Amino acid sequence: MATPSEFDCLCVVLVSTRNPLNIGAAARAMSNLGFLRLRVVKPYEASFREARSAVGAAPLLAKAEEYSSVAEAVADCTLVIGTTAAGNRELHHPLRLLQDAAPLVHKRLRAGGRVALLFGSEKRGLANEDLSHCHWLIHIPTRGEHVSMNLGQAVAVCLYELARGSGVTSNRTKRKVTHKTEALEPATASELDRITSMLIDALRASGYLEQHSAAAKEEKIRRMVRRLELSSADAEVWLGMLRQMLWKMKPSGGQ
């Protein structure tokens, strides 16, 4: 299968994976379907690059990028999507079925944005703190008696749905998308994290954040900022406003 250029802007991010063989299986599925950018956050086993399950995908695994946090791994992305088996878990994000999410992913990729697709550990999936970096979540429909999938299988199913829907748009459609993107380039995850950090500093200075519940509130604030769907230009405006607020709230009164 030929690798569409848009696939270069999609990153598969594996968070706290426990078994090197699962990372290898995910890498093999990526190579099969033409997605070649793998990012790994805090893997349990340092030997994952030598996984025997990555048949034919050794170069991809060797080039995998390691990060110490989800925030760092998705900093350059304009759309961050988490995966979940859902089940009885309380979710705070919009949840889409895989087949409904694929066209939205393609739209962002064709507009030139970088997309991150997050998969959690085999034991617990993505933690709430991980999910707070996501714009929305996707779910693979499975039977109720057995909702969770093997990590490598989940990666393969998600990427197959994206690969099979990668049709070529008309020149007219491309021109429209390109024009819109130039006017409203989405904010990156890094820019959104800067806004979140400054907003949390302002809320802490104002006394809104109480120490005993600060962590939960910070996750909620991070999710709220992502739901704003800010452009990069709007993100700079928000940062300017927050800087001014923090400066004015200094004990000296900003003088």
Side-chain angles (χ1 to χ4, degrees), residues 135-151:
H135 292 85
W136 38 270
L137 310 177
I138 59 175
H139 169 63
I140 300 172
T142 53
R143 68 188 184 98
E145 294 82 2
H146 195 183
V147 295
S148 64
M149 296 183 70
N150 171 270
L151 177 62

Side-chain angles (χ1 to χ4, degrees), residues 203-245:
L203 293 173
R204 188 175 287 118
S206 71
Y208 176 80
L209 288 180
E210 297 179 5
Q211 191 65 34
H212 69 278
S213 60
K217 287 182 179 178
E218 288 177 14
E219 289 179 5
K220 184 174 183 179
I221 291 166
R222 189 178 293 114
R223 294 194 299 267
M224 290 172 62
V225 169
R226 275 150 182 76
R227 287 201 295 270
L228 294 175
E229 296 185 355
L230 298 173
S231 68
S232 184
D234 287 345
E236 287 302 315
V237 175
W238 273 91
L239 287 168
M241 291 189 296
L242 290 169
R243 286 192 197 97
Q244 183 67 17
M245 291 179 192

Side-chain angles (χ1 to χ4, degrees), residues 7-250:
F7 290 0
D8 291 340
C9 292
L10 186 140
C11 305
V12 172
V13 183
L14 306 182
V15 183
S16 301
T17 43
R18 306 175 69 88
N19 191 333
L21 294 177
N22 284 332
I23 301 179
R28 181 175 182 176
M30 291 174 63
S31 181
N32 286 149
L33 296 166
F35 296 86
L36 305 179
R37 295 185 178 272
L38 175 62
R39 297 180 178 182
V40 181
V41 179
K42 294 188 293 187
Y44 277 60
E45 293 286 345
S47 60
F48 74 89
R49 295 184 191 275
E50 301 172 4
R52 290 171 295 177
S53 53
V55 179
L60 187 155
L61 207 54
K63 293 180 181 178
E65 303 170 59
E66 286 190 62
Y67 295 88
S68 60
S69 69
V70 171
E72 293 175 1
V74 303
D76 60 342
C77 299
T78 61
L79 176 60
V80 182
I81 305 167
T83 56
T84 178
N88 297 321
R89 185 174 189 172
E90 182 181 2
L91 301 175
H92 303 281
H93 294 73
L95 179 65
R96 295 181 169 92
L97 291 178
L98 177 57
Q99 62 267 33
D100 298 328
L104 301 176
V105 174
H106 284 297
K107 182 178 180 181
R108 182 59 61 90
L109 291 174
R110 287 169 183 151
R114 186 175 296 281
V115 177
L117 187 57
L118 270 61
F119 296 85
S121 72
E122 300 90 331
K123 189 174 182 179
R124 297 179 179 175
L126 293 168
N128 286 335
E129 200 280 332
D130 301 329
L131 293 177
S132 68
H133 293 277
C134 298
H135 292 85
W136 38 270
L137 310 177
I138 59 175
H139 169 63
I140 300 172
T142 53
R143 68 188 184 98
E145 294 82 2
H146 195 183
V147 295
S148 64
M149 296 183 70
N150 171 270
L151 177 62
Q153 292 174 328
V155 172
V157 171
C158 289
L159 296 185
Y160 172 73
E161 186 67 30
L162 293 176
R164 78 183 187 91
S166 59
V168 179
T169 58
S170 67
N171 290 334
R172 182 178 179 183
T173 302
K174 287 183 177 180
R175 283 197 298 268
K176 285 184 177 179
V177 172
T178 300
H179 176 74
K180 183 177 180 180
T181 304
E182 290 172 352
L184 292 173
E185 181 181 351
T188 65
S190 177
E191 291 171 323
L192 296 179
D193 266 347
R194 287 166 58 202
I195 291 174
T196 301
S197 295
M198 294 186 72
L199 180 56
I200 288 172
D201 287 345
L203 293 173
R204 188 175 287 118
S206 71
Y208 176 80
L209 288 180
E210 297 179 5
Q211 191 65 34
H212 69 278
S213 60
K217 287 182 179 178
E218 288 177 14
E219 289 179 5
K220 184 174 183 179
I221 291 166
R222 189 178 293 114
R223 294 194 299 267
M224 290 172 62
V225 169
R226 275 150 182 76
R227 287 201 295 270
L228 294 175
E229 296 185 355
L230 298 173
S231 68
S232 184
D234 287 345
E236 287 302 315
V237 175
W238 273 91
L239 287 168
M241 291 189 296
L242 290 169
R243 286 192 197 97
Q244 183 67 17
M245 291 179 192
L246 286 168
W247 181 72
K248 282 291 187 180
M249 286 192 290
K250 287 181 179 179

